[in-house]
Amino acid sequence: FRVITITGPGGVGKTRTALEVASEVQLAYPNGVYFVPLAGVEEPDSLPEKVGAVLGVEFQGRSALHTQLAAYLENKELLLVLDNLEQLLPGARRWITELLRAAPLVRVLATSRERLAIPLETAFPLTGLDYRTDREGSEAVDLFTAVARRHDPGFQLTPENAAAVTRICSSLQGLPLAI
């Protein structure tokens, strides 16, 4: 793969999934795996600077930062985990496409609420947990029960509270962060 984009609504676990994947594959990248948090970044033109800072690139001279970063990455075999790209589209699309062209050994694992819609992208959509049942075995109900037990070790899912737990999980659309 060249680009995998983990997509889904806020709170579904895109960042957590990306970090887990990055941890699992880190030995496959001789030049490393780098997590670049982009929440709060509003300008796509800031991408080279943010990525360069995480990589430890020292930008110099008058040439554009994206050109310097591309030259730095040209022969590197690494994974960039770009987290929270949605607010940077469509500029991020152009930048990632150009970067991949200039650095053929670089791979990108992105998280975004929507696909990047660029060549070589594979989308991996995440959805909320299953909440359609009010008994143990439902992913969302099980998560709710586990969280409730952290706050009240005596919490039990019972016939009396099961419908209420299911309503809560349903209203939260099974989103793990919300639960």
Side-chain angles (χ1 to χ4, degrees):
F1 80 91
R2 289 300 305 275
V3 180
I4 292 179
T5 306
I6 301 171
T7 63
V12 77
K14 297 180 298 290
T15 299
R16 174 175 251 163
T17 301
L19 289 170
E20 183 67 28
V21 169
S23 173
E24 292 291 324
V25 301
Q26 64 184 342
L27 295 178
Y29 294 94
N31 299 115
V33 173
Y34 297 89
F35 180 77
V36 183
L38 298 168
V41 176
E42 298 294 329
E43 292 298 320
D45 292 342
S46 299
L47 277 167
E49 180 181 0
K50 297 295 181 188
V51 171
V54 169
L55 293 172
V57 176
E58 294 183 24
F59 296 110
Q60 300 173 6
R62 295 182 190 252
S63 65
L65 298 185
H66 70 275
T67 303
Q68 292 182 56
L69 183 61
Y72 175 83
L73 292 172
E74 183 178 18
N75 296 310
K76 302 274 193 293
E77 187 174 352
L78 57 80
L79 175 65
L80 290 176
V81 180
L82 304 176
D83 187 44
N84 290 310
L85 273 174
E86 58 269 358
Q87 76 280 4
L88 300 171
L89 301 176
R93 290 178 177 120
R94 280 190 304 278
W95 182 78
I96 292 170
T97 300
E98 291 171 9
L99 178 69
L100 294 176
R101 198 173 296 128
L105 301 176
V106 169
R107 304 288 184 261
V108 173
L109 176 59
T111 69
S112 178
R113 292 184 182 192
E114 62 184 270
R115 288 183 57 143
L116 302 180
I118 62 175
L120 307 173
E121 176 190 30
T122 300
F124 185 83
L126 291 182
T127 59
L129 302 172
D130 178 29
Y131 55 84
R132 293 173 292 210
T133 180
D134 61 356
R135 63 186 193 289
E136 290 186 51
S138 158
E139 296 169 330
V141 171
D142 288 350
L143 177 59
F144 183 97
T145 302
V147 171
R149 284 184 182 144
R150 274 190 250 143
H151 296 282
D152 176 5
F155 179 83
Q156 295 293 318
L157 186 65
T158 65
E160 292 78 29
N161 66 14
V165 169
T166 300
R167 274 195 308 279
I168 292 168
C169 293
S170 174
S171 70
L172 299 172
Q173 299 178 328
L175 296 176
L177 187 60
I179 294 172

